[in-house]
Amino acid sequence: MADRGLAAGGGPLETCGLERILEALRLLLSPGGSGSSSLQITKHDVLLATLKSNLSALEDKFLKDPHWKKLKLLRDEIANRAEWPQNSVDVTWSFTSQTLLLLLCLKETMIHLAADFNPGKPNPRTPEAAPALSPDTLSISQQKTVQSALQFVVTLGVCPYLIPGVGVPLRYRTEFGAVVQDVVCLDAAPDATRRLYTSCRVLLNVAKHASLGSLIFCRHFGDVAAGLCQLGFCPTKRKSLKPEEEVLTEEERALSREALRDILDQVYQPLAVRELLILQGGPPQSCPDVKTQVRCRAPAWLRRLCGQLLSERLMRPSGVQAVVRGILEGAGAGAAGGSDAEATAADWKKCDLIAKILASCPQQSLSPEDYYRDTCPQILDLFHFQDKLTARQFQRIATTTFLTMSRERPQLAAKYLLQPVLAPLHRCLNTAEIPESDMVPGTILVTEEELSRCIEDVFKVYVVGNEPLTVLVDSLLPVLGVLFSLYCFTKQSVSHIRSLCQEILLWILGKLERNKAVASLKGFAGLDRSVPSLHSLCQFRAATQGGIMITIKEAICDEDEALYQKVSSEQCQLEHLGDLLSHCQECGLAGDFFIFCLKELTHVAVENEAELKTQHFSSKSLLELEQHQSLLVEGQEQKLLVLQLVAVLCERMSEQIFTNITQVVDFVAATLQRACASLAHQTESTVESQTLSMSMGLVAVMLGGAVQLKSSDFAVLKQLLPLLEKISNTYPDPVIQELAADLRITISTHGAFSTEAVSVAAQSTLNKKDPERKIEEQQQTSHERNTDVSNSHLEQQQSHEKSNQTGLKSSAPLIPQEVSEPSTTANQKSGSITTEQLQEVLLSAYDPQIPTRAAALRTLSRWIEQREARALEVQEKLLKIFLENLEHEDAFVYLSAIQGIALLSDAYPEKILIGLLAQYDSSKDKHTPETRMKVGEVLMRIVRALGDMVSKYREPLIHTFLRGVRDPDSAHRASSLSNLGELCQRLDFLLGSVVHEVTACLIAVAKTDHEVQVRRAAIHVIVVLLRGLSQKATEVLRDVLKDLYHLLKHVVRLEPDDVARLHAQLALEELDEIMRDFLFPPQKLEKKIVVLP
């Protein structure tokens, strides 16, 4: 199509210099006498006059200047060979024709120059010298001239002749475009369609030169493609026109269609996708302006055409990536991986849109299966980009597309997406058939790259996508055993896929139904052999690049070595299973699995040895005896495995393992069932008796008021009634029998009737007394204390006692949050304590029982706060007690001591504060770093309590903290900086000249300290200072504000630690807000009204 007008004719054309042609273009494009330096002249008559003037100037130059003779001959020859009308009444078309002729002259000249160019051989003595430049290369200024000429051609020769809805109209692009749209005369000859055909044909002819083609398609591909779409595919009128009345022949329309497909194949595919999307347009919109309504909707034939062409782009090789890049770059994201890539990756709406496009099977595809077979490998390739920003964009889109396909066509997604992703794991299952050629020991079944890529892809789809579709969950279930084995192997050394394996396992265990999750855990523990696991011939090995590969392991001839490896492997797997379950406590899975293990323990604890002894083997063959013996061995292995698993879970699980009353009741039921089984086989022991007492005491705790029980909770508790009835009738211990009967009555009456034995059992369980003595002691204390005292003591113990045996977590709704004091002082009023009571509490402060000691410290703190005279008389002794308990390792104890010292210091600051400062300023040899930081917490509480009175102790406090910043211990330096920041925040205007010392200290630490934690603390001090002072910062920090600003800018630019840079950025934002409010205070619209006397 593009050569048709120039192919005919004589011999080769006589060319001229490039500069002459470019000078002619500049003359033609010059703004003329308008007095404007811009080509976008806004007045119609001035624009027409300028175009006419430039055309006349060009013709005068051709006629009068002999140096332009060659160019004139070349132009005339090309014009004679051309088949389009060049002159018209419409000045815009005459101008466009001349510009097209000069562009053709430029193209022919560049082709001849390149053909005649013969670069010499490079000089071997100067290999670093640049090669000779081809003479057809355009400079930057020359390219700008050509770009201006092309812009005029497209603006005057293409865009005005596009029908409404095809392309973006000129009036919506620039102000100059709106002028051109009105200046072009569509009624003058030649016809608008002929003009459009001529412009597109010549532009494609010029684009045959590589340099000129890149200039055309980079800027004007969309307009050229829109013109070719209209020329080749726009429907004609229904009535058949006579041949002489037809504007375009069928051959020309066919050439236009062929040219459109050619340029779509030649250009950068994302560019083609983007321009086709623009041509296709969006959904119809309600627009009040008629012209805007025409622009809003593309014609139906154009929408169908663009959809077909886009589908063809998608089904080409690498078509998925081209479509994704085209949509991203066309959605305002810039180039893929560019500056806006992160924002685009975070926009799920764009990702969902692209996913729906990729998941929809186009009409051109033979079937959905063919489409999935071709595109799914390309979608999986989107996961594997190396560039971080590009990878984040493409991985988000790939994940969303993966999930969309799995949701819409699960069978095809399982076949073409999930199977390739999980293939490396399926290859080493114990249910897979390994080829004989791969059975050689040392053969690599799964390479390091395959396994790493598999785990990363699974993580991106399952964990990042976080959509538990049935097809996804069902596909991952068979390979969970291999994943768990891989997780156990990664725990033995450092591996980058350890966290990925853990997150995948936690995700799938959390999304599975509870019975399936427990079944999977049974397979992990080896209790269920039917669950697929790693093949017995396969093993994991460390690879050369730091990853992991799967190989065929060598056979072990030594039976003892094989047994040792098996036992050690099972032990490691159970320990790693315990670590994994420690992350599943909040969802309740760990509690359910622990209860399952306890139920299994019921079968293990009681073994029917009588049946084994009475069996007769005389009538059985050797094979039957061997099979029977192997079954016995397997059974013993299972029992040992259960015992080992229970031991690991008891060791690894915390008190938060049970999350609801149902789990607690199930735990108690399992314990009662085991006790009943022991009774049936008459194998009860002391351990069984203690466990039974503990479980029944736990029920008593719930019924005694520790938990707000609802009617639904009592419905759960009623499942214990048959077991309690059986124990009350058959258990030999009368105390347990009585307690079981009382618990059964309390549950049946929904707590309406409760005996004293239930309260005593609850209190005994919380006190952790000796099981043989606790019933007797509880009965004695119940006569000495009234009901209120007992309840108060019970609540205090429940708040702070660690229930390791019961598994109840202290922060859960099962335990009340109120904290009461010891029973000896619970009902005492201020001013009524006696010397005996004081001595009793002082002795309790040294009690080895943590709850008792903590409660005593809390009581002393309350007396100090209430200014009890007897307590204040022994202030030195109280201070000694608090300081000694400050070194206790339990948090509840030392926090109570901290509170007591702070309250005592509030009463006598002069006597106590100086000693605390000396202790805080001491060396490591005298006090541990932990104790010194606890003293620092005491000092901060004193500062808060003193309020404005802290100014009296400003000097010793600041000097102590400044000395602490120079301490060798980095933790103490960070603690001192934190305390210094809070102190300065409290002082406000009282800082005075000390602000210079504080600033110098912060600058030195932030720039020179080697510990990143200390540098973070220094920057955080500035953040706290600015945030606390707020608008007062401009006054308090007036002399050092500039130094602090420079320090923050220094940290933002040069600090390697991300957290410190974040703190500095936050401080800069606070400072910016403060200065804005200072420089631009809010305007208050106030009017003062004064009443004259």
Side-chain angles (χ1 to χ4, degrees), residues 102-149:
L102 289 177
L103 288 173
L104 288 173
C105 294
L106 179 64
K107 174 231 175 184
E108 293 296 330
T109 303
M110 293 175 70
I111 290 175
H112 282 82
L113 288 175
D116 297 338
F117 177 59
N118 185 18
K121 295 182 179 180
N123 189 356
R125 296 182 180 180
T126 58
E128 70 280 359
L133 199 62
S134 176
D136 66 335
T137 304
L138 297 175
S139 66
I140 295 177
S141 62
Q142 291 172 342
Q143 289 183 15
K144 290 182 178 179
T145 303
V146 175
Q147 282 285 14
S148 299

Side-chain angles (χ1 to χ4, degrees), residues 190-229:
D191 187 81
T193 304
R194 177 57 60 182
R195 295 185 189 184
L196 178 61
Y197 179 77
T198 300
S199 300
C200 292
R201 183 182 72 178
V202 177
L203 286 175
L204 292 178
N205 191 354
V206 174
K208 285 195 169 183
H209 190 279
S211 299
L212 297 176
S214 63
L215 295 177
I216 292 173
F217 291 139
C218 285
R219 297 286 185 89
H220 310 291
F221 174 78
D223 293 322
V224 175
L228 293 175
C229 288

Side-chain angles (χ1 to χ4, degrees), residues 1 111 182 185 207 241 410 487 702 750 754 887 934 962 1055:
M1 167 184 170
I111 290 175
D182 297 332
C185 182
L241 300 174
Y487 168 73
M702 291 191 293
H750 286 206
S754 179
E887 300 182 0
K934 294 173 186 176
L962 287 177
E1055 173 62 44

Side-chain angles (χ1 to χ4, degrees), residues 917 950-963 983 987 990-994 997:
L917 290 174
V950 75
S951 60
K952 181 178 179 181
Y953 310 99
R954 181 191 68 173
E955 300 296 333
L957 283 170
I958 288 184
H959 292 162
T960 300
F961 293 147
L962 287 177
R963 285 193 299 271
L983 175 61
L987 286 174
L990 301 175
L991 267 175
S993 60
V994 185
E997 299 179 30

Side-chain angles (χ1 to χ4, degrees), residues 29 458 546 570 625 680 732 1026:
L29 303 176
V458 171
E570 291 177 351
L625 289 175
L1026 293 174

Side-chain angles (χ1 to χ4, degrees), residues 189 199 332 356 394 519 653 666 680 762 973 983 1075 1087:
S199 300
K356 289 179 181 178
F394 282 61
M653 296 298 105
D666 290 340
R973 295 201 300 274
L983 175 61
M1075 296 309 297
K1087 184 176 182 180

Side-chain angles (χ1 to χ4, degrees), residues 755-823:
T755 62
E756 187 177 0
V758 175
S759 301
V760 172
Q763 183 178 348
S764 175
T765 302
L766 292 170
N767 286 334
K768 294 184 179 180
K769 295 292 182 69
D770 183 24
E772 295 179 357
R773 298 167 49 196
K774 62 183 178 182
I775 301 296
E776 181 181 355
E777 292 181 1
Q778 288 165 351
Q779 291 175 349
Q780 293 175 358
T781 56
S782 65
H783 294 291
E784 297 172 356
R785 302 176 184 175
N786 54 33
T787 305
D788 294 336
V789 173
S790 299
N791 291 338
S792 175
H793 185 73
L794 179 62
E795 290 177 0
Q796 183 271 330
Q797 293 288 350
Q798 290 170 352
S799 295
H800 308 296
E801 188 76 19
K802 295 183 179 179
S803 306
N804 291 329
Q805 290 179 330
T806 64
L808 291 175
K809 53 184 182 180
S810 60
S811 61
L814 296 176
I815 301 298
Q817 299 297 322
E818 294 79 4
V819 179
S820 301
E821 307 301 337
S823 57

